[in-house]
Amino acid sequence: MEGKLLSFGRILRSPSYPMAAPPEAAPITHDQLTRLLLAAAAAADPDNPAPTSDAVDALEQLYRHVSPLGDDPFLRVAAYFADALAAAMTSSASASRCLPSPEQEFAAFTHLYRASPFFQFGHFTANQTIVEAFEAEEGRNGRKLHVIDFDVSYGFQWPSLLQSLSDKATPESPVSLHLTGFGRTAAELEETRLRLVSFAHGCANLAFAFTGLVRGSTANDLMIDEGATLVVNLAFYLRTLQSSAELRATLAAVRALSPSVTVVVERETGRPAGGFLGRFVENLSYFAAMFESLHDCLPAESAERVSIERDQLGKEMRGAVQGGNWEWRGRMASAGFEEAELSSRSVSQARLLLKMKGHASSMEHVGNGGFGIEEARDGNSIALCWRRRRLVSVSAWRLRPRAAAR
């Protein structure tokens, strides 16, 4: 058994992998790949004491057939999940070569932002909700808006909001935006600040200020603008939390801020039952759709696509195998939030985005041919879909009176 673990450990660390499937490998169906992935996933379950021989055999078979290069997106998905599962069954050192550098992460994020409507759908729709919250309080907010972003990342969400607010402003009635952003490092936050300040210089009649806080800063470090409309932005953040306790603490901190609205943008990996294996199946379906959707955006031989899949989606897949994939909607309700209906303008803007990105054929409704927009029946969220598979959703949440909170 130890020999088997060392065997696929050597494959994982080999500088020649991943390049391409061995030429002698016989064709394998997607169903066969799925069964091999599930056999390997059973051993990565934290409730299992150790990998089984069958699981190691499954991984070895996977490595004989899959490749992160090539025309079949499911073979590429299987390759990255094989790496993630192997890393979960071996020491972290054996998987260290899979971790992208900060420069590679930034490049992959940028490529995906430009090529696919994925991030732009989430950001633009969230910003529309923020603008509407600001407009609803213009009679008492002094035309001041304060946004607290729990993961400002590279700041790509905010130029469109800056422009929207500038379009509303006049010399006689300027607008003020204060953005407080949490980030990984002081250096990354400074780069984000410089990027946004430079863009804001071109926005007429808009006063812009950026405050960067390294993650782990306390509530005492937050300086809330008195009288301003306060919005909390949770874009692609909740599923990055490492435990249920961390999720509860985050939502409690948000509630304590008493924002006018909290905007949540999240990947739609579902709310599966069945513990680790159920979550793995759901994540397999989700990432298979993500990889397939890139074919609508980038050619198979594209270096940008390789960067996105290796350094953005591949990293997320490792996190999906190792993390908890917390069900956040029910936790929001338990923490004292209730969903607010999104406006028709949000839906119209999302459809316009697909048209502008070159996906006009499916912009009117969710279909089987590509990207589409799906509205929740209650009107409280909208989602970007690929062939009816929800990829990312946007929702807005307001505080319930404490007497009504569960």
Side-chain angles (χ1 to χ4, degrees), residues 138-173:
E138 277 192 89
R140 53 188 172 89
N141 63 17
R143 292 179 69 79
K144 297 188 297 182
L145 172 64
H146 187 178
V147 178
I148 299 176
D149 187 351
F150 272 55
D151 185 10
V152 72
S153 188
Y154 308 113
F156 280 28
Q157 176 174 350
W158 303 116
S160 66
L161 179 65
L162 289 165
Q163 188 62 60
S164 294
L165 294 175
S166 177
D167 291 344
K168 291 178 56 63
T170 65
E172 297 76 22
S173 186

mmCIF file of all heavy atoms in Angstrom, residues 138-173:
data_model
loop_
_atom_site.group_PDB
_atom_site.id
_atom_site.type_symbol
_atom_site.label_atom_id
_atom_site.label_comp_id
_atom_site.label_asym_id
_atom_site.label_seq_id
_atom_site.Cartn_x
_atom_site.Cartn_y
_atom_site.Cartn_z
ATOM 1 N N GLU A 138 -30.977 58.740 -1.194
ATOM 2 C CA GLU A 138 -30.383 60.023 -1.565
ATOM 3 C C GLU A 138 -30.963 61.189 -0.774
ATOM 4 O O GLU A 138 -30.298 62.215 -0.589
ATOM 5 C CB GLU A 138 -30.559 60.269 -3.062
ATOM 6 C CG GLU A 138 -29.511 59.593 -3.911
ATOM 7 C CD GLU A 138 -29.520 60.074 -5.349
ATOM 8 O OE1 GLU A 138 -28.813 61.052 -5.630
ATOM 9 O OE2 GLU A 138 -30.229 59.462 -6.171
ATOM 10 N N GLY A 139 -32.186 61.049 -0.282
ATOM 11 C CA GLY A 139 -32.780 62.136 0.482
ATOM 12 C C GLY A 139 -32.159 62.334 1.848
ATOM 13 O O GLY A 139 -32.372 63.376 2.484
ATOM 14 N N ARG A 140 -31.368 61.351 2.311
ATOM 15 C CA ARG A 140 -30.804 61.467 3.657
ATOM 16 C C ARG A 140 -29.352 61.023 3.759
ATOM 17 O O ARG A 140 -28.793 60.995 4.864
ATOM 18 C CB ARG A 140 -31.640 60.654 4.644
ATOM 19 C CG ARG A 140 -31.882 59.209 4.266
ATOM 20 C CD ARG A 140 -32.892 58.562 5.211
ATOM 21 N NE ARG A 140 -33.301 57.241 4.789
ATOM 22 C CZ ARG A 140 -32.688 56.117 5.135
ATOM 23 N NH1 ARG A 140 -31.610 56.166 5.906
ATOM 24 N NH2 ARG A 140 -33.140 54.955 4.730
ATOM 25 N N ASN A 141 -28.707 60.691 2.664
ATOM 26 C CA ASN A 141 -27.318 60.226 2.760
ATOM 27 C C ASN A 141 -26.286 61.275 2.357
ATOM 28 O O ASN A 141 -25.081 60.981 2.327
ATOM 29 C CB ASN A 141 -27.110 58.944 1.933
ATOM 30 C CG ASN A 141 -27.353 59.154 0.441
ATOM 31 O OD1 ASN A 141 -27.373 60.271 -0.054
ATOM 32 N ND2 ASN A 141 -27.545 58.044 -0.286
ATOM 33 N N GLY A 142 -26.733 62.483 2.037
ATOM 34 C CA GLY A 142 -25.802 63.527 1.652
ATOM 35 C C GLY A 142 -25.018 63.177 0.392
ATOM 36 O O GLY A 142 -23.928 63.709 0.185
ATOM 37 N N ARG A 143 -25.574 62.275 -0.414
ATOM 38 C CA ARG A 143 -24.931 61.769 -1.637
ATOM 39 C C ARG A 143 -23.567 61.156 -1.324
ATOM 40 O O ARG A 143 -22.610 61.278 -2.088
ATOM 41 C CB ARG A 143 -24.822 62.884 -2.693
ATOM 42 C CG ARG A 143 -26.210 63.295 -3.212
ATOM 43 C CD ARG A 143 -26.142 64.397 -4.230
ATOM 44 N NE ARG A 143 -25.548 64.002 -5.500
ATOM 45 C CZ ARG A 143 -26.175 63.329 -6.463
ATOM 46 N NH1 ARG A 143 -27.420 62.904 -6.277
ATOM 47 N NH2 ARG A 143 -25.573 63.065 -7.608
ATOM 48 N N LYS A 144 -23.520 60.452 -0.194
ATOM 49 C CA LYS A 144 -22.320 59.733 0.226
ATOM 50 C C LYS A 144 -22.616 58.237 0.295
ATOM 51 O O LYS A 144 -23.656 57.823 0.810
ATOM 52 C CB LYS A 144 -21.840 60.220 1.594
ATOM 53 C CG LYS A 144 -21.407 61.671 1.633
ATOM 54 C CD LYS A 144 -20.757 62.010 2.964
ATOM 55 C CE LYS A 144 -21.736 61.852 4.119
ATOM 56 N NZ LYS A 144 -21.132 62.226 5.424
ATOM 57 N N LEU A 145 -21.694 57.452 -0.220
ATOM 58 C CA LEU A 145 -21.812 55.993 -0.227
ATOM 59 C C LEU A 145 -20.541 55.392 0.361
ATOM 60 O O LEU A 145 -19.430 55.790 -0.012
ATOM 61 C CB LEU A 145 -22.012 55.484 -1.660
ATOM 62 C CG LEU A 145 -21.969 53.971 -1.891
ATOM 63 C CD1 LEU A 145 -23.119 53.274 -1.165
ATOM 64 C CD2 LEU A 145 -22.016 53.651 -3.388
ATOM 65 N N HIS A 146 -20.710 54.446 1.285
ATOM 66 C CA HIS A 146 -19.572 53.728 1.868
ATOM 67 C C HIS A 146 -19.787 52.236 1.623
ATOM 68 O O HIS A 146 -20.788 51.659 2.056
ATOM 69 C CB HIS A 146 -19.464 53.999 3.368
ATOM 70 C CG HIS A 146 -18.228 53.439 3.989
ATOM 71 N ND1 HIS A 146 -17.913 53.605 5.325
ATOM 72 C CD2 HIS A 146 -17.204 52.716 3.468
ATOM 73 C CE1 HIS A 146 -16.761 53.011 5.590
ATOM 74 N NE2 HIS A 146 -16.321 52.450 4.474
ATOM 75 N N VAL A 147 -18.867 51.626 0.896
ATOM 76 C CA VAL A 147 -18.923 50.194 0.602
ATOM 77 C C VAL A 147 -17.800 49.498 1.350
ATOM 78 O O VAL A 147 -16.646 49.920 1.272
ATOM 79 C CB VAL A 147 -18.793 49.917 -0.912
ATOM 80 C CG1 VAL A 147 -18.795 48.408 -1.170
ATOM 81 C CG2 VAL A 147 -19.919 50.597 -1.683
ATOM 82 N N ILE A 148 -18.142 48.436 2.066
ATOM 83 C CA ILE A 148 -17.144 47.601 2.737
ATOM 84 C C ILE A 148 -17.080 46.277 1.989
ATOM 85 O O ILE A 148 -18.051 45.520 1.959
ATOM 86 C CB ILE A 148 -17.491 47.371 4.218
ATOM 87 C CG1 ILE A 148 -17.539 48.706 4.960
ATOM 88 C CG2 ILE A 148 -16.467 46.441 4.874
ATOM 89 C CD1 ILE A 148 -17.968 48.591 6.407
ATOM 90 N N ASP A 149 -15.944 46.022 1.362
ATOM 91 C CA ASP A 149 -15.740 44.823 0.545
ATOM 92 C C ASP A 149 -14.871 43.843 1.335
ATOM 93 O O ASP A 149 -13.713 44.125 1.610
ATOM 94 C CB ASP A 149 -15.051 45.213 -0.761
ATOM 95 C CG ASP A 149 -14.961 44.066 -1.747
ATOM 96 O OD1 ASP A 149 -15.275 42.921 -1.356
ATOM 97 O OD2 ASP A 149 -14.576 44.302 -2.910
ATOM 98 N N PHE A 150 -15.440 42.689 1.682
ATOM 99 C CA PHE A 150 -14.726 41.724 2.507
ATOM 100 C C PHE A 150 -13.606 41.001 1.750
ATOM 101 O O PHE A 150 -12.802 40.314 2.364
ATOM 102 C CB PHE A 150 -15.708 40.721 3.103
ATOM 103 C CG PHE A 150 -16.295 41.172 4.415
ATOM 104 C CD1 PHE A 150 -16.950 42.399 4.518
ATOM 105 C CD2 PHE A 150 -16.186 40.393 5.553
ATOM 106 C CE1 PHE A 150 -17.487 42.828 5.719
ATOM 107 C CE2 PHE A 150 -16.710 40.812 6.765
ATOM 108 C CZ PHE A 150 -17.362 42.042 6.848
ATOM 109 N N ASP A 151 -13.579 41.134 0.422
ATOM 110 C CA ASP A 151 -12.483 40.570 -0.367
ATOM 111 C C ASP A 151 -12.307 41.428 -1.606
ATOM 112 O O ASP A 151 -12.807 41.108 -2.674
ATOM 113 C CB ASP A 151 -12.763 39.115 -0.743
ATOM 114 C CG ASP A 151 -11.586 38.466 -1.470
ATOM 115 O OD1 ASP A 151 -10.501 39.085 -1.498
ATOM 116 O OD2 ASP A 151 -11.748 37.360 -2.002
ATOM 117 N N VAL A 152 -11.569 42.520 -1.471
ATOM 118 C CA VAL A 152 -11.444 43.476 -2.573
ATOM 119 C C VAL A 152 -10.603 42.908 -3.707
ATOM 120 O O VAL A 152 -10.688 43.367 -4.842
ATOM 121 C CB VAL A 152 -10.851 44.811 -2.074
ATOM 122 C CG1 VAL A 152 -9.377 44.684 -1.751
ATOM 123 C CG2 VAL A 152 -11.118 45.927 -3.063
ATOM 124 N N SER A 153 -9.783 41.891 -3.402
ATOM 125 C CA SER A 153 -8.978 41.216 -4.416
ATOM 126 C C SER A 153 -8.193 42.247 -5.217
ATOM 127 O O SER A 153 -7.486 43.074 -4.665
ATOM 128 C CB SER A 153 -9.885 40.348 -5.299
ATOM 129 O OG SER A 153 -9.137 39.550 -6.173
ATOM 130 N N TYR A 154 -8.333 42.210 -6.552
ATOM 131 C CA TYR A 154 -7.579 43.136 -7.397
ATOM 132 C C TYR A 154 -8.360 44.408 -7.708
ATOM 133 O O TYR A 154 -7.902 45.250 -8.462
ATOM 134 C CB TYR A 154 -7.193 42.439 -8.702
ATOM 135 C CG TYR A 154 -6.501 41.109 -8.480
ATOM 136 C CD1 TYR A 154 -7.102 39.914 -8.847
ATOM 137 C CD2 TYR A 154 -5.238 41.052 -7.878
ATOM 138 C CE1 TYR A 154 -6.471 38.692 -8.636
ATOM 139 C CE2 TYR A 154 -4.607 39.839 -7.661
ATOM 140 C CZ TYR A 154 -5.231 38.668 -8.046
ATOM 141 O OH TYR A 154 -4.606 37.462 -7.822
ATOM 142 N N GLY A 155 -9.564 44.523 -7.139
ATOM 143 C CA GLY A 155 -10.356 45.732 -7.336
ATOM 144 C C GLY A 155 -11.078 45.821 -8.660
ATOM 145 O O GLY A 155 -11.602 46.880 -9.016
ATOM 146 N N PHE A 156 -11.165 44.715 -9.413
ATOM 147 C CA PHE A 156 -11.756 44.769 -10.744
ATOM 148 C C PHE A 156 -13.252 45.093 -10.710
ATOM 149 O O PHE A 156 -13.802 45.533 -11.720
ATOM 150 C CB PHE A 156 -11.547 43.439 -11.477
ATOM 151 C CG PHE A 156 -10.184 43.276 -12.075
ATOM 152 C CD1 PHE A 156 -9.083 43.910 -11.529
ATOM 153 C CD2 PHE A 156 -9.994 42.475 -13.185
ATOM 154 C CE1 PHE A 156 -7.822 43.757 -12.078
ATOM 155 C CE2 PHE A 156 -8.731 42.315 -13.753
ATOM 156 C CZ PHE A 156 -7.638 42.960 -13.198
ATOM 157 N N GLN A 157 -13.906 44.872 -9.589
ATOM 158 C CA GLN A 157 -15.346 45.145 -9.515
ATOM 159 C C GLN A 157 -15.664 46.629 -9.573
ATOM 160 O O GLN A 157 -16.732 47.014 -10.069
ATOM 161 C CB GLN A 157 -15.932 44.540 -8.224
ATOM 162 C CG GLN A 157 -17.419 44.863 -8.033
ATOM 163 C CD GLN A 157 -18.028 44.147 -6.840
ATOM 164 O OE1 GLN A 157 -17.402 43.267 -6.261
ATOM 165 N NE2 GLN A 157 -19.242 44.519 -6.467
ATOM 166 N N TRP A 158 -14.755 47.476 -9.121
ATOM 167 C CA TRP A 158 -15.157 48.824 -8.742
ATOM 168 C C TRP A 158 -15.076 49.910 -9.807
ATOM 169 O O TRP A 158 -15.756 50.940 -9.677
ATOM 170 C CB TRP A 158 -14.397 49.223 -7.477
ATOM 171 C CG TRP A 158 -14.671 48.221 -6.394
ATOM 172 C CD1 TRP A 158 -13.796 47.387 -5.791
ATOM 173 C CD2 TRP A 158 -15.954 47.909 -5.848
ATOM 174 N NE1 TRP A 158 -14.435 46.574 -4.887
ATOM 175 C CE2 TRP A 158 -15.769 46.868 -4.902
ATOM 176 C CE3 TRP A 158 -17.242 48.392 -6.064
ATOM 177 C CZ2 TRP A 158 -16.812 46.326 -4.174
ATOM 178 C CZ3 TRP A 158 -18.288 47.843 -5.344
ATOM 179 C CH2 TRP A 158 -18.063 46.826 -4.416
ATOM 180 N N PRO A 159 -14.295 49.795 -10.869
ATOM 181 C CA PRO A 159 -14.347 50.853 -11.886
ATOM 182 C C PRO A 159 -15.744 51.106 -12.453
ATOM 183 O O PRO A 159 -16.115 52.260 -12.694
ATOM 184 C CB PRO A 159 -13.379 50.330 -12.961
ATOM 185 C CG PRO A 159 -12.365 49.564 -12.182
ATOM 186 C CD PRO A 159 -13.172 48.868 -11.104
ATOM 187 N N SER A 160 -16.525 50.055 -12.650
ATOM 188 C CA SER A 160 -17.867 50.270 -13.201
ATOM 189 C C SER A 160 -18.753 51.023 -12.208
ATOM 190 O O SER A 160 -19.601 51.834 -12.611
ATOM 191 C CB SER A 160 -18.523 48.946 -13.593
ATOM 192 O OG SER A 160 -18.783 48.134 -12.468
ATOM 193 N N LEU A 161 -18.569 50.787 -10.903
ATOM 194 C CA LEU A 161 -19.337 51.545 -9.912
ATOM 195 C C LEU A 161 -18.883 52.997 -9.887
ATOM 196 O O LEU A 161 -19.712 53.924 -9.806
ATOM 197 C CB LEU A 161 -19.180 50.922 -8.525
ATOM 198 C CG LEU A 161 -19.926 51.655 -7.404
ATOM 199 C CD1 LEU A 161 -21.435 51.574 -7.621
ATOM 200 C CD2 LEU A 161 -19.559 51.086 -6.028
ATOM 201 N N LEU A 162 -17.573 53.225 -9.941
ATOM 202 C CA LEU A 162 -17.066 54.593 -9.994
ATOM 203 C C LEU A 162 -17.664 55.347 -11.180
ATOM 204 O O LEU A 162 -18.086 56.510 -11.045
ATOM 205 C CB LEU A 162 -15.540 54.569 -10.096
ATOM 206 C CG LEU A 162 -14.775 54.138 -8.844
ATOM 207 C CD1 LEU A 162 -13.317 53.811 -9.194
ATOM 208 C CD2 LEU A 162 -14.821 55.217 -7.782
ATOM 209 N N GLN A 163 -17.703 54.702 -12.333
ATOM 210 C CA GLN A 163 -18.248 55.353 -13.517
ATOM 211 C C GLN A 163 -19.743 55.621 -13.366
ATOM 212 O O GLN A 163 -20.232 56.691 -13.743
ATOM 213 C CB GLN A 163 -17.985 54.497 -14.749
ATOM 214 C CG GLN A 163 -18.351 55.185 -16.060
ATOM 215 C CD GLN A 163 -17.534 56.436 -16.287
ATOM 216 O OE1 GLN A 163 -16.310 56.387 -16.358
ATOM 217 N NE2 GLN A 163 -18.211 57.588 -16.375
ATOM 218 N N SER A 164 -20.464 54.663 -12.804
ATOM 219 C CA SER A 164 -21.915 54.843 -12.626
ATOM 220 C C SER A 164 -22.217 56.014 -11.698
ATOM 221 O O SER A 164 -23.128 56.806 -11.955
ATOM 222 C CB SER A 164 -22.544 53.561 -12.075
ATOM 223 O OG SER A 164 -22.453 52.514 -13.000
ATOM 224 N N LEU A 165 -21.459 56.117 -10.616
ATOM 225 C CA LEU A 165 -21.683 57.217 -9.680
ATOM 226 C C LEU A 165 -21.284 58.554 -10.297
ATOM 227 O O LEU A 165 -21.932 59.578 -10.077
ATOM 228 C CB LEU A 165 -20.897 56.973 -8.392
ATOM 229 C CG LEU A 165 -21.358 55.778 -7.558
ATOM 230 C CD1 LEU A 165 -20.415 55.567 -6.378
ATOM 231 C CD2 LEU A 165 -22.786 55.969 -7.054
ATOM 232 N N SER A 166 -20.213 58.550 -11.084
ATOM 233 C CA SER A 166 -19.806 59.776 -11.769
ATOM 234 C C SER A 166 -20.875 60.236 -12.757
ATOM 235 O O SER A 166 -21.125 61.440 -12.903
ATOM 236 C CB SER A 166 -18.476 59.545 -12.492
ATOM 237 O OG SER A 166 -18.076 60.685 -13.214
ATOM 238 N N ASP A 167 -21.518 59.302 -13.432
ATOM 239 C CA ASP A 167 -22.586 59.645 -14.374
ATOM 240 C C ASP A 167 -23.764 60.301 -13.667
ATOM 241 O O ASP A 167 -24.501 61.090 -14.278
ATOM 242 C CB ASP A 167 -23.054 58.397 -15.116
ATOM 243 C CG ASP A 167 -22.005 57.851 -16.074
ATOM 244 O OD1 ASP A 167 -21.054 58.591 -16.398
ATOM 245 O OD2 ASP A 167 -22.124 56.676 -16.468
ATOM 246 N N LYS A 168 -23.964 59.983 -12.385
ATOM 247 C CA LYS A 168 -25.056 60.561 -11.617
ATOM 248 C C LYS A 168 -24.688 61.921 -11.025
ATOM 249 O O LYS A 168 -25.564 62.680 -10.611
ATOM 250 C CB LYS A 168 -25.442 59.628 -10.462
ATOM 251 C CG LYS A 168 -26.106 58.330 -10.864
ATOM 252 C CD LYS A 168 -26.393 57.457 -9.659
ATOM 253 C CE LYS A 168 -27.238 58.161 -8.629
ATOM 254 N NZ LYS A 168 -28.589 58.517 -9.119
ATOM 255 N N ALA A 169 -23.399 62.216 -10.941
ATOM 256 C CA ALA A 169 -22.925 63.414 -10.253
ATOM 257 C C ALA A 169 -22.899 64.625 -11.180
ATOM 258 O O ALA A 169 -22.768 64.501 -12.401
ATOM 259 C CB ALA A 169 -21.539 63.163 -9.682
ATOM 260 N N THR A 170 -22.996 65.800 -10.594
ATOM 261 C CA THR A 170 -22.873 67.069 -11.316
ATOM 262 C C THR A 170 -21.990 67.993 -10.489
ATOM 263 O O THR A 170 -21.765 67.748 -9.293
ATOM 264 C CB THR A 170 -24.242 67.732 -11.510
ATOM 265 O OG1 THR A 170 -24.776 68.105 -10.231
ATOM 266 C CG2 THR A 170 -25.218 66.791 -12.220
ATOM 267 N N PRO A 171 -21.492 69.081 -11.083
ATOM 268 C CA PRO A 171 -20.698 70.026 -10.284
ATOM 269 C C PRO A 171 -21.473 70.574 -9.088
ATOM 270 O O PRO A 171 -20.893 70.827 -8.029
ATOM 271 C CB PRO A 171 -20.367 71.133 -11.291
ATOM 272 C CG PRO A 171 -20.401 70.450 -12.626
ATOM 273 C CD PRO A 171 -21.503 69.432 -12.513
ATOM 274 N N GLU A 172 -22.779 70.768 -9.260
ATOM 275 C CA GLU A 172 -23.589 71.288 -8.165
ATOM 276 C C GLU A 172 -23.963 70.210 -7.151
ATOM 277 O O GLU A 172 -24.289 70.516 -6.008
ATOM 278 C CB GLU A 172 -24.880 71.907 -8.722
ATOM 279 C CG GLU A 172 -24.678 73.096 -9.640
ATOM 280 C CD GLU A 172 -24.201 72.690 -11.024
ATOM 281 O OE1 GLU A 172 -24.429 71.510 -11.412
ATOM 282 O OE2 GLU A 172 -23.596 73.528 -11.707
ATOM 283 N N SER A 173 -23.921 68.952 -7.565
ATOM 284 C CA SER A 173 -24.334 67.847 -6.689
ATOM 285 C C SER A 173 -23.367 66.676 -6.851
ATOM 286 O O SER A 173 -23.702 65.650 -7.448
ATOM 287 C CB SER A 173 -25.764 67.414 -7.032
ATOM 288 O OG SER A 173 -26.234 66.455 -6.110
#
